[in-house]
Amino acid sequence: MQEIRLTPTSYIVLGLLELAGESTPYVLKQLVARSVGFFWTLQHAQLYTEPERLAKAGYVTETREEGGRRRRMYALTDRGRKALGDWRTETTSALGEYREPAALKLFFGADPAQLAARQIEAHRAKLAEYERIRDAMPEEVPEGPRLALEMGIRHERESIAFWEDLAAG
């Protein structure tokens, strides 16, 4: 088994396999779009290359369908489960990069009132989307995704308040 450095993408793949069970890279891509993709950006190609890399290192198993398209199926191994569990218990003080185009425009002198109307509209739409997801979430969804969604909801509410303050002058 080769030793590799696990990255955030590695943990996304391991975590999604834990939640969903055996999956193809295409299924992982769909899961990202409906979950962590709301707050973590990654290239879709990584969801095809990372499971293969993790399989070579023994964190996941790789099997091929017998017939049809012979898709690759990946599942978590004990080693992958342990790595994911260890990672979850590590606390962090790291913060994500704040990449907000409107903040960049503000920094370089854009008119706050002019930006505010569009930003309020955009953040309200995102808040409504998050609230729809929360309201339709089945009971069996674990606490982790619920808490991450709540963080997104609160972020959108604070963003709306900020832009409304700017719009009010």
Side-chain angles (χ1 to χ4, degrees):
M1 242 178 290
Q2 75 183 61
E3 285 300 316
I4 61 171
R5 184 175 75 75
L6 297 178
T7 66
T9 301
S10 305
Y11 293 114
I12 289 170
V13 170
L14 294 174
L16 291 175
L17 289 173
E18 180 184 61
L19 287 172
E22 187 177 50
S23 300
T24 65
Y26 179 75
V27 169
L28 293 174
K29 186 177 93 165
Q30 290 177 314
L31 291 169
V32 164
R34 296 190 323 251
S35 63
V36 298
F38 285 109
F39 59 89
W40 194 270
T41 304
L42 67 153
Q43 301 291 324
H44 289 201
Q46 292 176 292
L47 296 171
Y48 289 86
T49 58
E50 188 63 15
E52 186 175 336
R53 189 175 86 93
L54 292 170
K56 287 178 183 171
Y59 292 96
V60 301
T61 60
E62 177 184 318
T63 57
R64 288 262 191 170
E65 290 179 327
E66 290 297 318
R69 297 174 60 197
R70 296 195 30 86
R71 292 178 289 209
R72 294 175 187 211
M73 303 291 292
Y74 295 94
L76 206 53
T77 64
D78 288 340
R79 183 176 192 197
R81 202 169 280 103
K82 180 180 180 333
L84 184 61
D86 291 348
W87 174 75
R88 277 194 287 244
T89 62
E90 294 170 6
T91 61
T92 183
S93 62
L95 298 174
E97 184 178 343
Y98 184 68
R99 296 178 58 98
E100 185 70 43
L104 193 59
K105 288 180 181 245
L106 283 176
F107 181 88
F108 287 111
D111 178 357
Q114 187 178 3
L115 280 174
R118 295 286 305 273
Q119 287 298 303
I120 292 167
E121 177 184 320
H123 286 286
R124 281 184 179 157
K126 184 55 80 175
L127 174 61
E129 179 182 5
Y130 287 167
E131 288 173 336
R132 278 193 301 277
I133 292 168
R134 180 200 58 208
D135 295 346
M137 198 175 278
E139 294 271 331
E140 63 271 8
V141 172
E143 181 183 32
R146 289 178 186 283
L147 292 173
L149 181 58
E150 180 61 27
M151 185 176 180
I153 288 170
R154 290 184 188 190
H155 171 77
E156 293 307 325
R157 287 179 180 155
E158 286 301 316
S159 294
I160 292 165
F162 172 80
W163 289 107
E164 285 176 340
D165 286 350
L166 284 184

